Amino acid sequence: MSRILSCPTCARAHPAPDGAYDPHYCSIACFQAGEQSVTGSEPPSCHDSVTMTCPVCSRAFDNSGRKTYCSDGCKAAAYRRRRDSSRPAVVVPAPRPRRPVTVYECDSCGARALGEQRCESCGLFMRRVGIGGCCPACDAPVAVTDLLGEEVSP
């Protein structure tokens, strides 16, 4: 046995289905129209904000979809700013090996060498003294720490 209900929007009579759910409206269109009359306006879309500010000219505009700029001109201006940045590109110098400028000293015989890790006379590995070069007067390997008397970091 079905009951007859009256739609609150259009006042049309419609049968109510059996079960716990009693629909008050005769159709989805009447339901939406009835909800609009209660709330007063259409609810905003959950994916689009109502207004958005253009990051180039700071004007407010109606957003639709994934739109970020208010016009094609602002979009092009933003692209040109990104492309033509006035900052020069940072150039990182290529790494240079330190071994050719490192002074090594043999613990057993006391011989020094520049850039060679193995002692020529003993055949043993030498310990690192520090960064240096050849002395201009005697052409012997001299470390910077020998000249300054303090530790220098590379």
Side-chain angles (χ1 to χ4, degrees):
M1 176 169 222
S2 78
R3 296 178 297 164
I4 302 296
L5 297 176
S6 175
C7 178
T9 303
C10 65
R12 189 175 354 163
H14 64 282
D18 294 333
Y21 176 71
D22 271 343
H24 297 285
Y25 300 96
C26 65
S27 66
I28 294 175
C30 285
F31 171 75
Q32 290 172 344
E35 289 296 313
Q36 257 183 348
S37 67
V38 172
T39 59
S41 66
E42 184 176 333
S45 173
C46 62
H47 298 293
D48 293 336
S49 60
V50 178
T51 58
M52 191 170 170
T53 304
C54 179
V56 176
C57 65
S58 300
R59 283 191 316 207
F61 66 96
D62 291 333
N63 187 15
S64 63
R66 295 172 57 191
K67 193 173 178 181
T68 305
Y69 303 100
C70 66
S71 66
D72 289 338
C74 286
K75 185 177 179 181
Y79 170 74
R80 285 191 299 272
R81 283 184 191 172
R82 288 191 311 269
R83 184 193 63 191
D84 301 333
S85 65
S86 61
R87 294 179 290 167
V90 177
V91 178
V92 178
R96 294 183 294 166
R98 284 191 238 164
R99 188 165 42 163
V101 292
T102 304
V103 177
Y104 296 95
E105 184 175 15
C106 181
D107 287 332
S108 64
C109 68
R112 283 192 170 195
L114 181 65
E116 295 292 326
Q117 291 180 325
R118 191 177 284 267
C119 181
E120 287 182 12
S121 59
C122 304
L124 299 173
F125 282 103
M126 298 189 278
R127 74 176 162 81
R128 183 173 64 95
V129 177
I131 293 177
C134 289
C135 177
C138 64
D139 204 35
V142 178
V144 175
T145 55
D146 296 337
L147 299 174
L148 298 177
E150 55 189 46
E151 185 68 29
V152 177
S153 62

